Amino acid sequence: MAGILDPVMLRITELKLPLDHPDEALREAIVQRLGISDDQLLDFTLFKRSYDARKKNTELLFIYTIDLTASDEAALLHKFADDHNITPAPDVSYKPVGQAPAELAERPIVVGFGPCGIFAGLLLAQMGFKPIILERGKEVRQRTKDTWGLWRKSVLNPESNVQFGEGGAGTFSDGKLYSQIKDPKHHGRKVLHEFVKAGAPDEILYVNKPHIGTFRLTGMVENMRQQIEAMGGEVRFEQKVTDLISEGEQLTGVVLESGEQLQSRHVVLALGHSARDTFRMLHARGVFMEAKPFSIGFRIEHPQTLIDQARLGKYAGHPKLGAADYKLVYHAKNGRSVYSFCMCPGGTVVAATSEPGRVVTNGMSQYSRNERNANSGIVVGITPEQDYPGGPLAGIELQERLESLAYELGGSNYQAPAQLVGDFVAGRRPAHWAVSNPHTSRA
């Protein structure tokens, strides 16, 4: 709790300005909102900038959340005590959960170097624990070559692809940095600050729906790996974990495909979605698992200009707004919900398989989001009780069957089957499935 003499940062929310306002107008608006002189505003930080395009035929405005310091904040808080848009700013700084002892008895192991593994390794390294990180795929530069081998030549490397390798599936994605989960402790700010430190644009700290783009992500994950290594951590590539070591119910280490054993009682399994062989190994070793609901569907594409016009109207194409996104949901009478997921404005549908004889697609965008088409996943929620009874791995088996069928429909060469939206909605099967290039597959 702040002491009486401690400085208190203030927060202003719902501060609205026209899209084309000059930079200096923001400071002027803050001063006017607080009713103070310019010299009383000591400093301010842009915490969030958004806009609301739901109301048509009204002026589109930027909506700001500002954190600031001013002379005599206590008086300002008293003055605006009944104004819920002027409050003390929350403490969004990250508090480490621990610190390593001077002498480490053993080093923690992190299995997987996707988004979860990167941050597990980074935080452990920052706390002095010098983690050992095991990634079954390759470092990001070589992995990128292997991934383009699938996209351009239909040659799949099962251990180096869109799913496996440095950065995980997140490297070949839009780099979207927002979700609908609650974040009362503001841990998301730690993630954003680490990304900026690694090379992401500063704007991800305040834009409403920040993203980074695929090409920037490759350099960033390299930088984060180098940070981990500089703090004593170790990242080992092409190191697939194939078994666990245990004494009774105590995990004591892991076994690598090479036969090497690494001892540690502290293991983070940051496996990601697609390490199905590892899930099967864990299940066979008696690790508790349970089937969970998930969603399944396809990718749909539209001209980006169509989405811009529908969402932004006369403001479509405004340089400060960029490519528009959308979000759709439909609640059916049978209790199921169909909804859009991972919408990529100005992006591309890409082949994302990691297993021979199967086809999966994903969406990604570059930072500019200036490709001709928008794309989105259209998915339906399914549950173990209704759709895949039979144990904790039954959902994986369902996915595998559907991905194998997609592979066959696409011509058994890792190209994706595709059809016109009108045919899909009408339930018409095309005379011949259109087969699209794996880097630009269309649903």
PDB file of all heavy atoms in Angstrom, residues 10-15 32-35 76-88:
ATOM      1  N   LEU A  10      -1.944   8.726 -11.764  1.00  0.00           N
ATOM      2  CA  LEU A  10      -3.372   8.775 -12.056  1.00  0.00           C
ATOM      3  C   LEU A  10      -3.660   8.115 -13.388  1.00  0.00           C
ATOM      4  O   LEU A  10      -2.799   8.032 -14.272  1.00  0.00           O
ATOM      5  CB  LEU A  10      -3.856  10.230 -12.101  1.00  0.00           C
ATOM      6  CG  LEU A  10      -3.597  11.101 -10.877  1.00  0.00           C
ATOM      7  CD1 LEU A  10      -4.253  12.461 -11.077  1.00  0.00           C
ATOM      8  CD2 LEU A  10      -4.110  10.433  -9.622  1.00  0.00           C
ATOM      9  N   ARG A  11      -4.893   7.662 -13.544  1.00  0.00           N
ATOM     10  CA  ARG A  11      -5.341   7.078 -14.814  1.00  0.00           C
ATOM     11  C   ARG A  11      -6.603   7.801 -15.276  1.00  0.00           C
ATOM     12  O   ARG A  11      -7.558   7.949 -14.513  1.00  0.00           O
ATOM     13  CB  ARG A  11      -5.597   5.584 -14.679  1.00  0.00           C
ATOM     14  CG  ARG A  11      -6.285   4.973 -15.900  1.00  0.00           C
ATOM     15  CD  ARG A  11      -6.215   3.461 -15.911  1.00  0.00           C
ATOM     16  NE  ARG A  11      -4.849   3.013 -16.161  1.00  0.00           N
ATOM     17  CZ  ARG A  11      -4.497   1.729 -16.299  1.00  0.00           C
ATOM     18  NH1 ARG A  11      -5.419   0.780 -16.185  1.00  0.00           N
ATOM     19  NH2 ARG A  11      -3.244   1.397 -16.540  1.00  0.00           N
ATOM     20  N   ILE A  12      -6.601   8.215 -16.538  1.00  0.00           N
ATOM     21  CA  ILE A  12      -7.796   8.759 -17.196  1.00  0.00           C
ATOM     22  C   ILE A  12      -8.246   7.749 -18.233  1.00  0.00           C
ATOM     23  O   ILE A  12      -7.449   7.289 -19.056  1.00  0.00           O
ATOM     24  CB  ILE A  12      -7.503  10.101 -17.891  1.00  0.00           C
ATOM     25  CG1 ILE A  12      -7.015  11.152 -16.900  1.00  0.00           C
ATOM     26  CG2 ILE A  12      -8.747  10.609 -18.612  1.00  0.00           C
ATOM     27  CD1 ILE A  12      -6.644  12.474 -17.568  1.00  0.00           C
ATOM     28  N   THR A  13      -9.518   7.405 -18.217  1.00  0.00           N
ATOM     29  CA  THR A  13     -10.086   6.522 -19.233  1.00  0.00           C
ATOM     30  C   THR A  13     -11.145   7.272 -20.044  1.00  0.00           C
ATOM     31  O   THR A  13     -11.632   8.324 -19.631  1.00  0.00           O
ATOM     32  CB  THR A  13     -10.714   5.279 -18.589  1.00  0.00           C
ATOM     33  OG1 THR A  13     -11.738   5.685 -17.661  1.00  0.00           O
ATOM     34  CG2 THR A  13      -9.680   4.458 -17.832  1.00  0.00           C
ATOM     35  N   GLU A  14     -11.466   6.716 -21.209  1.00  0.00           N
ATOM     36  CA  GLU A  14     -12.510   7.276 -22.079  1.00  0.00           C
ATOM     37  C   GLU A  14     -12.208   8.720 -22.507  1.00  0.00           C
ATOM     38  O   GLU A  14     -13.109   9.544 -22.618  1.00  0.00           O
ATOM     39  CB  GLU A  14     -13.881   7.220 -21.377  1.00  0.00           C
ATOM     40  CG  GLU A  14     -14.369   5.820 -21.074  1.00  0.00           C
ATOM     41  CD  GLU A  14     -14.681   5.024 -22.342  1.00  0.00           C
ATOM     42  OE1 GLU A  14     -15.304   5.580 -23.265  1.00  0.00           O
ATOM     43  OE2 GLU A  14     -14.275   3.838 -22.399  1.00  0.00           O
ATOM     44  N   LEU A  15     -10.935   8.987 -22.775  1.00  0.00           N
ATOM     45  CA  LEU A  15     -10.560  10.295 -23.321  1.00  0.00           C
ATOM     46  C   LEU A  15     -10.615  10.199 -24.845  1.00  0.00           C
ATOM     47  O   LEU A  15      -9.860   9.426 -25.438  1.00  0.00           O
ATOM     48  CB  LEU A  15      -9.157  10.671 -22.850  1.00  0.00           C
ATOM     49  CG  LEU A  15      -8.683  12.094 -23.149  1.00  0.00           C
ATOM     50  CD1 LEU A  15      -9.529  13.109 -22.385  1.00  0.00           C
ATOM     51  CD2 LEU A  15      -7.209  12.253 -22.780  1.00  0.00           C
ATOM     52  N   GLN A  32      -6.963  19.795 -20.128  1.00  0.00           N
ATOM     53  CA  GLN A  32      -8.331  20.303 -20.089  1.00  0.00           C
ATOM     54  C   GLN A  32      -9.230  19.387 -19.251  1.00  0.00           C
ATOM     55  O   GLN A  32     -10.060  19.867 -18.469  1.00  0.00           O
ATOM     56  CB  GLN A  32      -8.877  20.426 -21.510  1.00  0.00           C
ATOM     57  CG  GLN A  32     -10.277  21.016 -21.574  1.00  0.00           C
ATOM     58  CD  GLN A  32     -10.763  21.179 -23.007  1.00  0.00           C
ATOM     59  OE1 GLN A  32     -10.091  20.782 -23.944  1.00  0.00           O
ATOM     60  NE2 GLN A  32     -11.943  21.751 -23.158  1.00  0.00           N
ATOM     61  N   ARG A  33      -9.050  18.075 -19.399  1.00  0.00           N
ATOM     62  CA  ARG A  33      -9.897  17.123 -18.652  1.00  0.00           C
ATOM     63  C   ARG A  33      -9.687  17.265 -17.157  1.00  0.00           C
ATOM     64  O   ARG A  33     -10.633  17.166 -16.366  1.00  0.00           O
ATOM     65  CB  ARG A  33      -9.566  15.693 -19.097  1.00  0.00           C
ATOM     66  CG  ARG A  33     -10.368  14.600 -18.394  1.00  0.00           C
ATOM     67  CD  ARG A  33     -11.809  14.610 -18.828  1.00  0.00           C
ATOM     68  NE  ARG A  33     -12.543  13.477 -18.293  1.00  0.00           N
ATOM     69  CZ  ARG A  33     -13.111  13.432 -17.104  1.00  0.00           C
ATOM     70  NH1 ARG A  33     -13.015  14.471 -16.277  1.00  0.00           N
ATOM     71  NH2 ARG A  33     -13.776  12.350 -16.709  1.00  0.00           N
ATOM     72  N   LEU A  34      -8.456  17.502 -16.738  1.00  0.00           N
ATOM     73  CA  LEU A  34      -8.156  17.625 -15.305  1.00  0.00           C
ATOM     74  C   LEU A  34      -8.381  19.032 -14.773  1.00  0.00           C
ATOM     75  O   LEU A  34      -8.429  19.242 -13.559  1.00  0.00           O
ATOM     76  CB  LEU A  34      -6.704  17.205 -15.046  1.00  0.00           C
ATOM     77  CG  LEU A  34      -6.353  15.735 -15.299  1.00  0.00           C
ATOM     78  CD1 LEU A  34      -4.867  15.508 -15.090  1.00  0.00           C
ATOM     79  CD2 LEU A  34      -7.161  14.816 -14.397  1.00  0.00           C
ATOM     80  N   GLY A  35      -8.487  20.009 -15.692  1.00  0.00           N
ATOM     81  CA  GLY A  35      -8.658  21.384 -15.256  1.00  0.00           C
ATOM     82  C   GLY A  35      -7.425  21.943 -14.589  1.00  0.00           C
ATOM     83  O   GLY A  35      -7.523  22.645 -13.569  1.00  0.00           O
ATOM     84  N   LEU A  76      -6.143  16.184  -6.841  1.00  0.00           N
ATOM     85  CA  LEU A  76      -6.897  15.812  -8.044  1.00  0.00           C
ATOM     86  C   LEU A  76      -7.798  14.604  -7.770  1.00  0.00           C
ATOM     87  O   LEU A  76      -8.947  14.556  -8.220  1.00  0.00           O
ATOM     88  CB  LEU A  76      -5.936  15.505  -9.195  1.00  0.00           C
ATOM     89  CG  LEU A  76      -5.239  16.709  -9.821  1.00  0.00           C
ATOM     90  CD1 LEU A  76      -4.167  16.264 -10.805  1.00  0.00           C
ATOM     91  CD2 LEU A  76      -6.257  17.604 -10.522  1.00  0.00           C
ATOM     92  N   LEU A  77      -7.287  13.636  -7.013  1.00  0.00           N
ATOM     93  CA  LEU A  77      -8.113  12.474  -6.671  1.00  0.00           C
ATOM     94  C   LEU A  77      -9.317  12.898  -5.828  1.00  0.00           C
ATOM     95  O   LEU A  77     -10.418  12.361  -5.986  1.00  0.00           O
ATOM     96  CB  LEU A  77      -7.277  11.432  -5.937  1.00  0.00           C
ATOM     97  CG  LEU A  77      -6.304  10.620  -6.799  1.00  0.00           C
ATOM     98  CD1 LEU A  77      -5.413   9.744  -5.933  1.00  0.00           C
ATOM     99  CD2 LEU A  77      -7.067   9.752  -7.800  1.00  0.00           C
ATOM    100  N   HIS A  78      -9.086  13.829  -4.925  1.00  0.00           N
ATOM    101  CA  HIS A  78     -10.209  14.332  -4.118  1.00  0.00           C
ATOM    102  C   HIS A  78     -11.209  15.073  -4.995  1.00  0.00           C
ATOM    103  O   HIS A  78     -12.433  14.900  -4.853  1.00  0.00           O
ATOM    104  CB  HIS A  78      -9.679  15.254  -3.011  1.00  0.00           C
ATOM    105  CG  HIS A  78     -10.756  15.838  -2.157  1.00  0.00           C
ATOM    106  ND1 HIS A  78     -11.444  15.100  -1.200  1.00  0.00           N
ATOM    107  CD2 HIS A  78     -11.297  17.103  -2.127  1.00  0.00           C
ATOM    108  CE1 HIS A  78     -12.343  15.869  -0.626  1.00  0.00           C
ATOM    109  NE2 HIS A  78     -12.277  17.088  -1.169  1.00  0.00           N
ATOM    110  N   LYS A  79     -10.691  15.882  -5.910  1.00  0.00           N
ATOM    111  CA  LYS A  79     -11.553  16.654  -6.801  1.00  0.00           C
ATOM    112  C   LYS A  79     -12.429  15.758  -7.661  1.00  0.00           C
ATOM    113  O   LYS A  79     -13.609  16.053  -7.899  1.00  0.00           O
ATOM    114  CB  LYS A  79     -10.682  17.553  -7.677  1.00  0.00           C
ATOM    115  CG  LYS A  79     -11.428  18.340  -8.740  1.00  0.00           C
ATOM    116  CD  LYS A  79     -10.452  19.166  -9.585  1.00  0.00           C
ATOM    117  CE  LYS A  79     -11.163  19.900 -10.715  1.00  0.00           C
ATOM    118  NZ  LYS A  79     -10.193  20.684 -11.540  1.00  0.00           N
ATOM    119  N   PHE A  80     -11.863  14.625  -8.122  1.00  0.00           N
ATOM    120  CA  PHE A  80     -12.595  13.729  -9.032  1.00  0.00           C
ATOM    121  C   PHE A  80     -13.009  12.427  -8.329  1.00  0.00           C
ATOM    122  O   PHE A  80     -13.100  11.368  -8.966  1.00  0.00           O
ATOM    123  CB  PHE A  80     -11.735  13.399 -10.256  1.00  0.00           C
ATOM    124  CG  PHE A  80     -11.468  14.598 -11.141  1.00  0.00           C
ATOM    125  CD1 PHE A  80     -10.253  15.257 -11.093  1.00  0.00           C
ATOM    126  CD2 PHE A  80     -12.445  15.060 -12.016  1.00  0.00           C
ATOM    127  CE1 PHE A  80      -9.997  16.359 -11.904  1.00  0.00           C
ATOM    128  CE2 PHE A  80     -12.205  16.158 -12.828  1.00  0.00           C
ATOM    129  CZ  PHE A  80     -10.981  16.817 -12.772  1.00  0.00           C
ATOM    130  N   ALA A  81     -13.276  12.514  -7.044  1.00  0.00           N
ATOM    131  CA  ALA A  81     -13.607  11.316  -6.267  1.00  0.00           C
ATOM    132  C   ALA A  81     -14.829  10.594  -6.808  1.00  0.00           C
ATOM    133  O   ALA A  81     -14.937   9.355  -6.695  1.00  0.00           O
ATOM    134  CB  ALA A  81     -13.821  11.693  -4.805  1.00  0.00           C
ATOM    135  N   ASP A  82     -15.764  11.308  -7.404  1.00  0.00           N
ATOM    136  CA  ASP A  82     -16.991  10.691  -7.923  1.00  0.00           C
ATOM    137  C   ASP A  82     -16.922  10.426  -9.427  1.00  0.00           C
ATOM    138  O   ASP A  82     -17.923  10.054 -10.032  1.00  0.00           O
ATOM    139  CB  ASP A  82     -18.193  11.591  -7.615  1.00  0.00           C
ATOM    140  CG  ASP A  82     -18.429  11.755  -6.120  1.00  0.00           C
ATOM    141  OD1 ASP A  82     -18.176  10.780  -5.390  1.00  0.00           O
ATOM    142  OD2 ASP A  82     -18.847  12.855  -5.693  1.00  0.00           O
ATOM    143  N   ASP A  83     -15.778  10.602 -10.020  1.00  0.00           N
ATOM    144  CA  ASP A  83     -15.612  10.410 -11.468  1.00  0.00           C
ATOM    145  C   ASP A  83     -14.891   9.090 -11.703  1.00  0.00           C
ATOM    146  O   ASP A  83     -13.684   8.966 -11.441  1.00  0.00           O
ATOM    147  CB  ASP A  83     -14.810  11.579 -12.047  1.00  0.00           C
ATOM    148  CG  ASP A  83     -14.786  11.590 -13.571  1.00  0.00           C
ATOM    149  OD1 ASP A  83     -14.926  10.509 -14.168  1.00  0.00           O
ATOM    150  OD2 ASP A  83     -14.603  12.675 -14.154  1.00  0.00           O
ATOM    151  N   HIS A  84     -15.621   8.085 -12.185  1.00  0.00           N
ATOM    152  CA  HIS A  84     -15.009   6.760 -12.340  1.00  0.00           C
ATOM    153  C   HIS A  84     -14.019   6.704 -13.494  1.00  0.00           C
ATOM    154  O   HIS A  84     -13.337   5.680 -13.681  1.00  0.00           O
ATOM    155  CB  HIS A  84     -16.095   5.688 -12.537  1.00  0.00           C
ATOM    156  CG  HIS A  84     -16.856   5.808 -13.821  1.00  0.00           C
ATOM    157  ND1 HIS A  84     -17.947   6.628 -13.959  1.00  0.00           N
ATOM    158  CD2 HIS A  84     -16.665   5.207 -15.022  1.00  0.00           C
ATOM    159  CE1 HIS A  84     -18.407   6.535 -15.201  1.00  0.00           C
ATOM    160  NE2 HIS A  84     -17.655   5.687 -15.863  1.00  0.00           N
ATOM    161  N   ASN A  85     -13.881   7.760 -14.278  1.00  0.00           N
ATOM    162  CA  ASN A  85     -12.904   7.801 -15.361  1.00  0.00           C
ATOM    163  C   ASN A  85     -11.587   8.459 -14.967  1.00  0.00           C
ATOM    164  O   ASN A  85     -10.678   8.571 -15.784  1.00  0.00           O
ATOM    165  CB  ASN A  85     -13.477   8.521 -16.587  1.00  0.00           C
ATOM    166  CG  ASN A  85     -14.596   7.754 -17.260  1.00  0.00           C
ATOM    167  OD1 ASN A  85     -15.669   8.292 -17.515  1.00  0.00           O
ATOM    168  ND2 ASN A  85     -14.357   6.478 -17.520  1.00  0.00           N
ATOM    169  N   ILE A  86     -11.473   8.902 -13.712  1.00  0.00           N
ATOM    170  CA  ILE A  86     -10.216   9.438 -13.185  1.00  0.00           C
ATOM    171  C   ILE A  86      -9.958   8.765 -11.846  1.00  0.00           C
ATOM    172  O   ILE A  86     -10.658   9.017 -10.862  1.00  0.00           O
ATOM    173  CB  ILE A  86     -10.255  10.966 -13.036  1.00  0.00           C
ATOM    174  CG1 ILE A  86     -10.497  11.632 -14.399  1.00  0.00           C
ATOM    175  CG2 ILE A  86      -8.953  11.478 -12.415  1.00  0.00           C
ATOM    176  CD1 ILE A  86     -10.609  13.143 -14.347  1.00  0.00           C
ATOM    177  N   THR A  87      -8.969   7.888 -11.808  1.00  0.00           N
ATOM    178  CA  THR A  87      -8.715   7.047 -10.639  1.00  0.00           C
ATOM    179  C   THR A  87      -7.202   6.873 -10.466  1.00  0.00           C
ATOM    180  O   THR A  87      -6.423   7.215 -11.356  1.00  0.00           O
ATOM    181  CB  THR A  87      -9.346   5.655 -10.819  1.00  0.00           C
ATOM    182  OG1 THR A  87      -8.777   5.034 -11.986  1.00  0.00           O
ATOM    183  CG2 THR A  87     -10.859   5.746 -10.984  1.00  0.00           C
ATOM    184  N   PRO A  88      -6.778   6.308  -9.335  1.00  0.00           N
ATOM    185  CA  PRO A  88      -5.361   5.935  -9.232  1.00  0.00           C
ATOM    186  C   PRO A  88      -5.034   4.855 -10.272  1.00  0.00           C
ATOM    187  O   PRO A  88      -5.833   3.937 -10.497  1.00  0.00           O
ATOM    188  CB  PRO A  88      -5.239   5.376  -7.811  1.00  0.00           C
ATOM    189  CG  PRO A  88      -6.402   5.948  -7.072  1.00  0.00           C
ATOM    190  CD  PRO A  88      -7.500   6.085  -8.073  1.00  0.00           C
TER     191      PRO A  88
END
